[in-house]
Amino acid sequence: MLHFRRRLPLGVLWAALILAGVSLILQHTPSVAGPPVEARASEPPSPAVPWHTSPTPTPATTPSRPAPGFLNNVSAFSAPVTPGQIRIAGAPYDVRYDFDGGVGRPIADSRGGHELRPLGQNGGALRLVPQGSGLAVAYPDRCTLPRERDCPRAILEGLRDDSLNPGRRTLHYGASIRMTHADLADGANVLQKGYSVGGVSQYKLQVDHRQGHPSCVIAGPRGGIYRAEPWINVADGQWHDLECRRTLTRLIMIVDGVPRAWVPVPSQLSIANAEPLRIGGKGPAPGNDQFAGAIDDVFVTIGS
C-alpha cells in the first residue's frame, strides 16, 4: 500500500525556520548591561533597597557658628596684682581679640593667650552677640538707678601682663564700638591699661560726655595727661573703628580710618605699670566708668 506525505504549506515552513534562527541567536547574545562585575574585596556589596524605599540622602555639612549667649562671671572683684619689678615689652608685640570663640571657650587673643575674665557686680553680665560673621561683646544697658553704687557693672579683665607695657615705644591700640545716645554717660571706658593718677601711667580709649566724643588718653608716671578728642559723635547706633596712635611726639585719634585729632606728647614719656588690660571699664567696683553698648576687635600693637 502506498503512503503519501502530507505537504506543509510553504508559508508555515518559512515561519518555523525564522523562529528557530532567532532562538539560536538569542541564546548566544550577551545581555545589554554587560557581564556581571565582581565586588571589590575591600567593599562589601550594597544591600538591596526595596523599590518603594528612597535612599537616605547624605546631609550637607554646614560650618557651625560660634555660640552667642551670656558669659559666666568669674568673680565680682579684680584679682590681686602680683608684685615684682615692672618690665616693658620687647618690640614688636601685638594682641588682638575678636571674641568669635563663643561662650564655650575662654576669651583669649588670636593666638590663644592673654586670657580675659568676665567680672560683674550687682547682676551685671556680659553677652556675646552676633556681629557680621562672628561675635561681639555686649555690655549692660546704661543704668538709671538713683544710686550709682546699686547699678549693674561688668567688664573684661586680664591678669598682670607686662608684655603690654610699651614704655617709650610707638603704640597703636583701639577697638570697634557701637553705641546709641542712650548709652552715653560722663565716662565710658572702652579699653585701658593703668591709671592716669597716682604715678601709675596709662593708655586708654574712651567715649566721654553726652556728646559721644571718642578720645585717646596717655599719661606718664610723673604727671601730665595727654588727650586727643575730636568733636564728632560716634554714639549713633552704627559701628565705628576707633584707633589711638602714639608716635614719638604725638598722640593721634583716628575714627573709621581718618585722623580726627592729635596732641603733642613728650618723647620721654614712658608707660609701664603692673595693672591688667581692662575692656569696658576701669574695674567692676562703683565709679568704674562703665561702658554701655557693644565692643569688638580690640587690639594693642607695640613697636611697629
Side-chain angles (χ1 to χ4, degrees):
M1 183 176 179
L2 297 174
H3 298 278
F4 295 94
R5 295 180 180 177
R6 186 176 181 182
R7 294 184 179 180
L8 295 174
L10 185 59
V12 174
L13 181 59
W14 277 109
L17 290 175
I18 291 172
L19 287 175
V22 170
S23 177
L24 184 62
I25 291 172
L26 290 175
Q27 291 177 9
H28 292 84
T29 302
S31 171
V32 175
V37 178
E38 295 182 359
R40 297 180 183 177
S42 60
E43 299 178 3
S46 301
V49 179
W51 64 269
H52 59 276
T53 304
S54 300
T56 303
T58 303
T61 57
T62 56
S64 59
R65 291 177 60 88
F70 281 94
L71 295 171
N72 293 325
N73 291 339
V74 174
S75 174
F77 303 96
S78 299
V81 175
T82 57
Q85 180 182 359
I86 297 175
R87 303 179 183 277
I88 61 175
Y93 201 80
D94 179 84
V95 293
R96 295 179 181 271
Y97 298 90
D98 58 19
F99 310 111
D100 291 345
V103 294
R105 299 176 60 185
I107 302 296
D109 76 339
S110 57
R111 298 183 182 91
H114 304 277
E115 184 176 336
L116 301 173
R117 308 174 308 143
L119 307 181
Q121 291 184 4
N122 295 342
L126 304 175
R127 293 177 295 131
L128 294 181
V129 296
Q131 156 59 6
S133 60
L135 299 172
V137 183
Y139 284 76
D141 293 339
R142 180 60 63 202
C143 179
T144 58
L145 295 176
R147 297 189 303 180
E148 192 271 340
R149 67 185 183 186
D150 297 330
C151 288
R153 297 179 292 274
I155 69 165
L156 287 172
E157 181 180 276
L159 298 174
R160 173 177 172 174
D161 191 348
D162 288 3
S163 64
L164 299 179
N165 289 331
R168 298 178 183 177
R169 293 188 173 98
T170 57
L171 172 67
H172 298 179
Y173 61 96
S176 298
I177 68 157
R178 182 179 62 191
M179 301 181 74
T180 66
H181 185 77
D183 295 324
L184 294 173
D186 290 337
N189 290 0
V190 179
L191 74 89
Q192 74 180 78
K193 188 179 190 302
Y195 299 104
S196 59
V197 296
V200 178
S201 78
Q202 177 192 69
Y203 56 88
K204 178 172 69 171
L205 170 63
Q206 61 189 0
V207 180
D208 272 355
H209 317 303
R210 300 290 178 175
Q211 292 81 19
H213 296 169
S215 61
C216 303
V217 177
I218 62 172
R222 295 179 178 85
I225 300 174
Y226 304 87
R227 179 167 70 181
E229 178 182 340
W231 286 79
I232 60 174
N233 178 17
V234 296
D236 56 2
Q238 304 297 317
W239 282 98
H240 293 282
D241 299 328
L242 307 181
E243 179 182 351
C244 303
R245 291 185 186 177
R246 187 261 170 102
T247 68
L248 292 178
T249 58
R250 291 183 178 185
L251 176 63
I252 306 168
M253 169 93 247
I254 300 171
V255 180
D256 296 327
V258 180
R260 293 291 188 177
W262 68 272
V263 293
V265 297
S267 59
Q268 68 271 19
L269 186 147
S270 178
I271 304 171
N273 56 70
E275 296 298 323
L277 180 67
R278 296 181 172 101
I279 301 174
K282 60 184 179 183
N288 70 334
D289 289 340
Q290 176 69 53
F291 181 86
I295 296 177
D296 199 6
D297 297 326
V298 173
F299 69 93
V300 177
T301 301
I302 297 171
S304 62

